[in-house]
Each structure stands twice: as C-alpha cells, then as structure tokens.
Amino acid sequence: MRNGTQWDVATAMRRGEQAIGLAREDQEEMKGRGITVEELDRQQVTLDNLRDREAAQNARGTRMKELTAIQDGVLGESMAFIADQRFVVRRGAPDNELRKAIGVGQAVQPLVASVLSGMDLIIGAHKKYSERLARMGFVQADADRAAALRASLTGADQAQEDGKVEFKSATERRNGLLREAIAGVYRVVTVARLALADRPERRRLYLDLIRGTNGRRQTTAKTPVTPPAGDGTPPEE
C-alpha cells in the first residue's frame, strides 16, 4: 500500500473492530497482561477518528477532481481564444511586427504556464497596438476578455495547487491514524497469543486477524494450533 502499511483503511477498520470486540469478551485474561478496558476504549477512539478522516479525505478527492475539471475548462477556453486572436492577426496584419507581438507562430501547449505566456502576449499586444488592432476588428472587450481569462486560469491553477497541498497533508494525517489502528490490532493479537495459550481455538480467532496481510484473501489454518513462523506475527525487535 502507498500509505506505508499493508492494510487499507477498510481492512484496518474491520480488523480493529474485531480485535476490540474479542478483547472485550476476553477481558479477564487480557487485562492481566496489560490490555485494559481503557486501552480498548482508546483504540476505539482511534478507529472512530480514522473513519472520520477517511470520509473527509474522500470528499477532498472528489473536490480535487472538480478543481481539475474547472482548470481544464478554463485552459481549453483560453487556448481557443488565443487561437482565434492569432488567426485574425495572421490573416489581417500587414507586417510581421504585430504578428510576432501577438505570438503568431509560437506553439501553445495545454499547460498552464504555456497558456499564460500566450495570453500575456495578447494582453501586451492589445496595449501596445490597440489602434492597429482596432482597424482589424478588435475591440476593448477582446482585451478585457484576455485579462479575465488569464485571471480565471491563474485562480483555477492556484486553487488546484492549494488543494494538492491540503490533500497531501491530510493523507499523511490519515495514514498516521491508520498506522496507529494497525498497531492496536497487533498489540491485541500478540497479547492474546500469550494470554490464551491454553485456549487454542479462541486464540486462533485473534491470530486470523493478522493472517493474509499481503493483500491475498485470508484463510484460516485448519490444523496447526500454534501458527507457524511467518504467519503475520510481528518480528521481535
């Protein structure tokens, strides 16, 4: 998993709830080895917070898609505007000076920086060659629209960049809770391995929570009472 763990949020939530539920039922055996009701309550709070963070992160993901769509829309509109402006100048300008000033012959890529550069040429040309452009059919509204499109594209790009920063920061916070939730499951399971050594069938319910952590479907051991090495038990430090 890209979050630095082997479990996704849904898996951690499910196994965390199961681990807490089992440990509450076996509280007599577990509390003697440090798994108290208070600790289980804290683990439950972690799961609740993780659930809320995941929901908020999903909402941020949806918003990021919306911001990308907005930026793409302004980008496309701006490129079409630049193409129209250059086409008229290319056909109607009597010399290369105005053509060069407005960017005729310069490629515009579907990238924010490239489009902004092309828009700046148009804005500059309208300021410097307003009279010549007016004779070709351009009006002040064309210059105003160029400035408005530039402002819209800049705003859309900034909003997306801010969204990316927030999304990354929120992901890190969510993943911190995820790792904490997973650690809680492992703590319960490893303590149960000791506390329930004389109840192998019951203990297996705990051990099964950390089997199959490589993303494959979990399977329950059929015969061994004590799981073999490599069964998902955390290595000793």
Side-chain angles (χ1 to χ4, degrees):
M1 300 296 293
R2 292 183 179 181
N3 54 37
T5 74
Q6 292 180 309
W7 299 355
D8 58 21
V9 172
T11 299
M13 291 292 303
R14 183 179 68 255
R15 294 180 181 179
E17 296 282 1
Q18 291 172 339
I20 292 172
L22 289 170
R24 289 192 189 282
E25 293 174 2
D26 297 322
Q27 183 56 202
E28 285 301 315
E29 293 92 336
M30 299 293 281
K31 68 180 181 181
R33 293 181 180 270
I35 301 295
T36 63
V37 170
E38 290 74 19
E39 178 171 347
L40 295 176
D41 289 343
R42 289 193 295 271
Q43 289 190 22
Q44 185 62 57
V45 170
T46 296
L47 293 181
D48 294 341
N49 290 338
L50 177 59
R51 182 184 296 106
D52 293 342
R53 285 282 174 85
E54 178 71 351
Q57 192 69 341
N58 289 337
R60 290 188 187 93
T62 299
R63 179 55 179 162
M64 284 300 300
K65 292 178 181 178
E66 293 173 352
L67 291 174
T68 298
I70 291 172
Q71 185 189 67
D72 288 346
V74 178
L75 198 66
E77 184 180 359
S78 298
M79 292 183 70
F81 176 79
I82 291 172
D84 289 342
Q85 294 272 304
R86 290 181 175 183
F87 177 84
V88 174
V89 172
R90 185 173 67 248
R91 296 295 184 181
D95 55 59
N96 287 329
E97 181 182 358
L98 184 52
R99 295 190 188 99
K100 182 178 180 180
I102 210 165
V104 172
Q106 296 184 26
V108 177
Q109 303 296 328
L111 303 170
V112 172
S114 180
V115 173
L116 288 178
S117 179
M119 198 66 74
D120 286 341
L121 290 176
I122 290 175
I123 293 172
H126 275 276
K127 290 180 179 179
K128 186 175 182 179
Y129 302 99
S130 57
E131 293 184 4
R132 294 176 63 180
L133 288 171
R135 290 195 294 269
M136 298 171 60
F138 290 100
V139 295
Q140 182 59 40
D142 295 312
D144 293 343
R145 188 181 177 210
L149 283 172
R150 191 192 193 289
S152 293
L153 183 56
T154 300
D157 182 57
Q158 186 60 55
Q160 189 181 57
E161 290 303 312
D162 291 345
K164 288 179 181 178
V165 171
E166 173 57 24
F167 189 85
K168 180 179 180 181
S169 177
T171 297
E172 292 173 352
R173 295 193 298 271
R174 189 275 314 273
N175 288 347
L177 280 173
L178 177 57
R179 287 188 287 271
E180 186 178 340
I182 293 172
V185 174
Y186 272 95
R187 171 160 165 73
V188 168
V189 171
T190 52
V191 169
R193 185 167 188 153
L194 298 174
L196 302 174
D198 59 345
R199 297 170 61 193
E201 292 301 320
R202 181 66 178 180
R203 185 174 74 164
R204 185 176 300 159
L205 297 177
Y206 289 84
L207 297 177
D208 282 348
L209 294 177
I210 56 173
R211 297 186 195 278
T213 56
N214 58 2
R216 297 173 183 154
R217 184 176 178 181
Q218 275 188 250
T219 56
T220 302
K222 294 181 179 179
T223 53
V225 172
T226 301
D231 62 349
T233 302
E236 294 184 0
E237 297 294 330

